[in-house]
Short mmCIF file of all heavy atoms in Angstrom, two decimals:
data_model
loop_
_atom_site.label_atom_id
_atom_site.label_comp_id
_atom_site.label_asym_id
_atom_site.label_seq_id
_atom_site.Cartn_x
_atom_site.Cartn_y
_atom_site.Cartn_z
N TRP G 25 3.96 18.46 -19.80
CA TRP G 25 5.22 18.19 -20.68
C TRP G 25 4.99 16.83 -21.40
O TRP G 25 5.22 16.67 -22.69
CB TRP G 25 6.51 18.22 -19.89
CG TRP G 25 7.65 17.89 -20.74
CD1 TRP G 25 8.46 18.70 -21.49
CD2 TRP G 25 8.20 16.49 -21.03
NE1 TRP G 25 9.30 17.97 -22.20
CE2 TRP G 25 9.29 16.68 -21.97
CE3 TRP G 25 7.88 15.19 -20.48
CZ2 TRP G 25 9.98 15.63 -22.34
CZ3 TRP G 25 8.73 14.11 -21.05
CH2 TRP G 25 9.73 14.35 -21.89
N LEU G 26 4.57 15.78 -20.59
CA LEU G 26 4.45 14.45 -21.23
C LEU G 26 3.39 14.35 -22.30
O LEU G 26 3.55 13.85 -23.40
CB LEU G 26 4.06 13.41 -20.03
CG LEU G 26 4.04 11.92 -20.51
CD1 LEU G 26 5.24 11.44 -20.98
CD2 LEU G 26 3.29 11.08 -19.30
N ALA G 27 2.14 15.01 -22.05
CA ALA G 27 1.15 15.10 -23.02
C ALA G 27 1.54 15.85 -24.24
O ALA G 27 1.30 15.26 -25.36
CB ALA G 27 -0.07 15.80 -22.43
N LEU G 28 2.28 16.95 -24.12
CA LEU G 28 2.88 17.69 -25.31
C LEU G 28 3.80 16.82 -26.09
O LEU G 28 3.92 16.78 -27.30
CB LEU G 28 3.56 18.93 -24.92
CG LEU G 28 2.54 20.11 -24.23
CD1 LEU G 28 3.28 21.21 -23.78
CD2 LEU G 28 1.46 20.43 -25.42
N ALA G 29 4.75 16.12 -25.30
CA ALA G 29 5.79 15.26 -25.96
C ALA G 29 5.20 14.14 -26.77
O ALA G 29 5.59 13.79 -27.80
CB ALA G 29 6.75 14.80 -24.96
N VAL G 30 4.03 13.58 -26.14
CA VAL G 30 3.33 12.42 -26.83
C VAL G 30 2.75 13.03 -28.18
O VAL G 30 2.88 12.42 -29.31
CB VAL G 30 2.24 11.88 -26.00
CG1 VAL G 30 1.31 11.06 -26.88
CG2 VAL G 30 2.75 11.20 -24.81
N GLN G 31 2.12 14.20 -28.06
CA GLN G 31 1.41 14.80 -29.26
C GLN G 31 2.40 15.15 -30.32
O GLN G 31 2.14 14.94 -31.59
CB GLN G 31 0.76 16.09 -28.85
CG GLN G 31 -0.60 16.22 -29.55
CD GLN G 31 -1.31 17.35 -29.01
OE1 GLN G 31 -0.85 18.20 -28.30
NE2 GLN G 31 -2.75 17.17 -29.18
N ALA G 32 3.66 15.54 -29.93
CA ALA G 32 4.62 15.96 -30.90
C ALA G 32 5.41 14.74 -31.32
O ALA G 32 6.38 14.88 -32.22
CB ALA G 32 5.59 16.96 -30.27
N GLY G 33 5.12 13.64 -30.85
CA GLY G 33 5.93 12.31 -31.23
C GLY G 33 7.33 12.53 -30.85
O GLY G 33 8.30 11.96 -31.61
N ALA G 34 7.63 13.06 -29.73
CA ALA G 34 8.93 13.23 -29.25
C ALA G 34 9.52 12.40 -28.15
O ALA G 34 10.48 12.64 -27.49
CB ALA G 34 9.13 14.83 -28.79
N LEU G 35 8.91 11.18 -28.16
CA LEU G 35 9.41 10.30 -26.98
C LEU G 35 10.19 9.16 -27.50
O LEU G 35 10.34 8.28 -26.77
CB LEU G 35 8.11 9.66 -26.35
CG LEU G 35 7.32 10.70 -25.40
CD1 LEU G 35 6.15 9.99 -24.66
CD2 LEU G 35 8.13 11.27 -24.33
N GLY G 36 10.70 9.29 -28.72
CA GLY G 36 11.73 8.43 -29.20
C GLY G 36 11.07 7.12 -29.86
O GLY G 36 9.89 7.00 -29.99
N ALA G 37 11.90 6.00 -29.93
CA ALA G 37 11.52 4.84 -30.58
C ALA G 37 10.55 4.04 -29.89
O ALA G 37 9.75 3.21 -30.36
CB ALA G 37 12.69 4.01 -30.98
N GLU G 38 10.57 4.17 -28.40
CA GLU G 38 9.68 3.33 -27.63
C GLU G 38 8.87 4.25 -26.72
O GLU G 38 9.07 4.34 -25.50
CB GLU G 38 10.59 2.41 -26.73
CG GLU G 38 11.59 1.58 -27.51
CD GLU G 38 11.37 0.12 -27.32
OE1 GLU G 38 10.31 -0.32 -26.99
OE2 GLU G 38 12.48 -0.58 -27.40
N PRO G 39 7.82 4.95 -27.24
CA PRO G 39 7.07 5.95 -26.47
C PRO G 39 6.31 5.23 -25.37
O PRO G 39 6.20 5.82 -24.17
CB PRO G 39 6.07 6.55 -27.47
CG PRO G 39 6.19 5.51 -28.66
CD PRO G 39 7.46 4.94 -28.73
N VAL G 40 5.75 4.05 -25.53
CA VAL G 40 4.99 3.41 -24.49
C VAL G 40 5.86 3.22 -23.15
O VAL G 40 5.52 3.52 -22.01
CB VAL G 40 4.26 2.12 -24.92
CG1 VAL G 40 3.67 1.37 -23.74
CG2 VAL G 40 3.36 2.37 -26.02
#
Side-chain angles (χ1 to χ4, degrees):
W25 177 86
L26 183 65
L28 293 175
V30 168
Q31 219 171 19
L35 288 183
E38 309 237 25
V40 172

